[in-house]
Amino acid sequence: SVLCCPGCFSLFRCSALQDCLSSYSSEVNNAMEFLMKDMGEDRWLCTLLIEEGWRLEYCAISNDYTYCPVEFDEFYKQRRRWIPSTIANLWLLVSKSSKMTANNESIGW
C-alpha cells in the first residue's frame, strides 16, 4: 500500500472516485486547504481515498510516459510546489489517523 499515486500514472475505480467526489470538488477556503487541494491535487485525492477506506497500490511493471523537468530550475519549481502539499496532506493523515486506521485495514501504525 502507498500513500500517493502520481496523477499521470494513476488508474482509479469509478466507485472509488464517486466516494470522495464531493470532498474533492469542494472550494478552497483557507491557506491550508490551498496547499492540500490546489498545490497537490493527486495527493489530496489519494488522502480522500484512504480516508474512505480504499487501498492504493503500486504496480512496478506498468509503463507510462510523462514530462519530467530537465533543468534544475524547473525541478526546483516543481519541488517548491509539491513539498508544501506533501506536508499538508501528511499532516491531515496524521491528524485523522484514528479514522484512517479504523476505515482502512491496509493502513496501520
Side-chain angles (χ1 to χ4, degrees):
S1 186
V2 295
L3 294 178
C4 182
C5 299
C8 62
F9 299 109
S10 302
L11 183 66
F12 299 102
R13 293 177 188 257
C14 288
S15 54
L17 295 176
Q18 288 173 337
D19 282 353
C20 58
L21 187 60
S22 62
S23 295
Y24 183 70
S25 62
S26 63
E27 292 191 25
V28 172
N29 295 313
N30 57 52
M32 183 61 112
E33 287 184 2
F34 176 74
L35 290 176
M36 284 189 296
K37 298 177 181 182
D38 286 356
M39 298 295 280
E41 58 282 345
D42 52 355
R43 187 167 290 279
W44 167 240
L45 176 60
C46 291
T47 300
L48 292 173
L49 290 169
I50 292 168
E51 187 175 6
E52 289 294 323
W54 290 95
R55 186 175 74 196
L56 308 178
E57 293 185 15
Y58 171 74
C59 179
I61 62 170
S62 62
N63 289 318
D64 199 349
Y65 299 94
T66 187
Y67 170 79
C68 296
V70 177
E71 303 294 323
F72 178 77
D73 189 48
E74 292 176 280
F75 176 74
Y76 178 77
K77 287 177 184 177
Q78 180 191 64
R79 295 299 153 170
R80 190 179 67 198
R81 193 180 85 243
W82 285 0
I83 289 172
S85 168
T86 300
I87 293 169
N89 277 284
L90 287 174
W91 174 84
L92 182 63
L93 283 168
V94 170
S95 68
K96 292 185 171 185
S97 61
S98 58
K99 180 180 180 184
M100 299 287 187
T101 55
N103 287 353
N104 197 321
E105 64 184 37
S106 64
I107 303 293
W109 294 105

